[in-house]
Amino acid sequence: MPCQSCPRCAVRRGRCQRGRQAMAWDVNIPAAMQCGSRTKQLDPTMKSIISHPFPHASKDWLTHIYEANLWLSVGRTRSQLHYDRENNVNCAYHGKKRWILIDTRKHYSDITWVRGGRYRSEDDLLNTGTDWVPIDPDKVDLRVHQKLSNVEYYEFDQEVGDCIFLPYSMLHYVNKTSPGFHVAASWMFLPNEVFDKEACETAPTENIPMAAHDILWYYSGTGVIPQGYPAVDREVRDSILQIMDENGEDHMTIQVLQEWLSRGEAPLRNRPRELRQFWEEFSRHGKNPDKGLTQEEMGWPNTPLGLWLRFAARGDPEGMLPCDTGQFYIPRPENETAKSNLFLEQLGGNPKKEL
């Protein structure tokens, strides 16, 4: 789980590395958060049920966590007024914070956005990214942001032991008003995850440690801090497949990857040697490495998910943050997967082969 402060570029990787995954065993995911299906998922575009892109090896009731974070702060800290495209649960372990929430669906047109074009007011399941508001929440200039005077908001305090559920797209601002130490943990899951009644019949009633979950963007304590990176299935692999279809290509050639990178701001687009190394590593998982992967060969586990995550971090169309410049993503190591599987096995059932 990534160690975070505000802003996240202030993180010192060396300090975080010493805690690493050990801290995630101390964070419990409430049993009520389970039963998100690992066999099916909602297609946000077609509004139909499809096969889950990240099935679990043995526990169909283990809700898929997209990203998890540990928040540490001392002194006065605050966030931007922003929304996330994922559902978010935030639990406080030490200290106190004040939250402000705004219904984005109701007030989207009353707000000036930094990026713009990310929020889909007609259907916010189709949001293409997060966005934030260019204001100082402590002193909003209503001469510039006149419509904000009409915005309704919710305000509340979060104290030790309080867990907050933030629906996807909900604008929120977090304000730590006391100078002392504050600790919180959060985890995110995609809004197109669906409840699985059948799988839930075998789900345990006790809480499950965060570390027992196969978090998609796992953090090793070093390398790229995986916060806000793209959905490796829809935004990376499927976008590459679309380019292949547009160009009449049967294989994921290096030219296809170059075209995908040219549509974004990733530093990898200007690193031809590194890009070729990625392409060659991908191609080794195909029947014809000289041509590249076919559509059928691009999926995991044929092509390791860890490889796709490494490529997604370096090829993020929105570019890497300054604190990640020169860093590489490190996927979950096998020994951590073994620990998770052992814990889940003791709950009942036997983990299958690692995907």
Side-chain angles (χ1 to χ4, degrees):
M1 55 190 296
C3 295
Q4 304 291 349
S5 61
C6 187
R8 80 177 178 96
C9 286
V11 169
R12 292 186 62 184
R13 288 181 172 82
R15 285 184 179 178
C16 190
Q17 186 176 2
R18 288 196 290 271
R20 295 196 292 178
Q21 190 73 346
M23 291 185 288
W25 287 104
D26 293 330
V27 176
N28 280 325
I29 306 296
M33 297 300 303
Q34 303 302 340
C35 302
S37 180
R38 297 303 294 272
T39 61
K40 54 189 177 182
Q41 191 182 69
L42 176 68
D43 183 321
T45 301
M46 303 302 296
K47 302 298 186 287
S48 59
I49 299 298
I50 59 174
S51 297
H52 201 290
F54 308 105
H56 191 266
S58 65
K59 306 300 182 185
D60 292 342
W61 49 260
L62 191 71
T63 301
H64 187 241
I65 296 179
Y66 185 82
E67 178 186 301
N69 299 286
L70 174 66
W71 302 93
L72 305 173
S73 57
V74 177
R76 172 76 194 285
T77 62
R78 54 186 179 158
S79 74
Q80 297 165 317
L81 179 60
H82 69 288
Y83 72 82
D84 298 305
R85 60 180 180 174
E86 304 89 2
N87 293 316
N88 194 341
V89 179
N90 184 292
C91 296
Y93 288 83
H94 192 279
K96 179 179 177 180
K97 283 186 176 180
R98 177 161 295 178
W99 292 70
I100 291 178
L101 307 183
I102 296 174
D103 186 344
T104 314
R105 294 175 180 174
K106 183 176 181 179
H107 294 292
Y108 172 76
S109 60
D110 297 326
I111 293 171
T112 300
W113 300 95
V114 171
R115 289 173 161 175
R118 301 296 201 278
Y119 185 80
R120 298 290 185 261
S121 57
E122 70 283 358
D123 184 357
D124 56 9
L125 275 175
L126 302 178
N127 290 347
T128 59
T130 187
D131 210 341
W132 58 93
V133 185
I135 63 170
D136 180 349
D138 283 344
K139 44 185 179 181
V140 179
D141 189 342
L142 292 179
R143 295 169 300 178
V144 177
H145 303 278
Q146 297 179 15
K147 290 186 177 181
L148 282 181
S149 62
N150 302 320
V151 168
E152 299 175 354
Y153 62 91
Y154 309 90
E155 185 175 11
F156 58 89
D157 290 336
Q158 179 190 30
E159 307 206 30
V160 174
D162 291 342
C163 288
I164 298 167
F165 171 68
L166 295 171
Y168 75 98
S169 293
M170 175 71 77
L171 269 169
H172 54 281
Y173 162 69
V174 193
N175 182 14
K176 179 178 173 295
T177 56
S178 63
F181 187 50
H182 187 275
V183 181
S186 65
W187 59 92
M188 296 179 169
F189 58 98
L190 296 177
N192 49 320
E193 302 293 358
V194 297
F195 174 72
D196 192 326
K197 182 178 179 180
E198 182 179 355
C200 202
E201 293 177 356
T202 60
T205 56
E206 64 263 36
N207 299 335
I208 307 295
M210 179 184 288
H213 293 72
D214 56 331
I215 299 170
L216 180 65
W217 283 102
Y218 166 91
Y219 185 52
S220 68
T222 188
V224 164
I225 300 172
Q227 186 183 41
Y229 280 92
V232 69
D233 55 331
R234 291 182 289 111
E235 295 177 312
V236 181
R237 183 199 58 187
D238 290 357
S239 295
I240 293 172
L241 284 170
Q242 183 178 353
I243 292 174
M244 290 169 59
D245 184 62
E246 292 171 356
N247 296 345
E249 287 282 1
D250 295 326
H251 295 81
M252 189 178 78
T253 64
I254 193 169
Q255 289 77 21
V256 166
L257 295 184
Q258 288 171 337
E259 182 170 344
W260 180 72
L261 289 169
S262 71
R263 300 181 180 185
E265 302 297 325
L268 184 57
R269 74 187 191 281
N270 297 320
R271 297 179 178 274
R273 182 177 299 179
E274 182 183 347
L275 175 59
R276 175 162 288 278
Q277 290 174 343
F278 267 118
W279 179 76
E280 290 176 350
E281 188 173 355
F282 274 118
S283 299
R284 285 198 291 269
H285 299 281
K287 293 181 179 179
N288 193 335
D290 292 336
K291 292 186 176 181
L293 297 174
T294 63
Q295 177 176 342
E296 293 74 20
E297 295 167 340
M298 289 169 65
W300 41 87
N302 179 73
T303 301
L305 180 57
L307 172 56
W308 277 108
L309 291 168
R310 287 167 43 217
F311 178 73
R314 297 290 289 174
D316 185 354
E318 294 186 351
M320 305 176 77
L321 291 184
C323 52
D324 282 335
T325 300
Q327 300 291 328
F328 297 85
Y329 178 68
I330 301 175
R332 177 191 298 269
E334 292 184 4
N335 66 312
E336 289 296 340
T337 297
K339 291 179 186 177
S340 300
N341 284 347
L342 178 60
F343 180 90
L344 294 173
E345 182 180 357
Q346 293 171 347
L347 292 176
N350 296 308
K352 300 174 186 176
K353 185 178 179 181
E354 168 69 5
L355 292 180

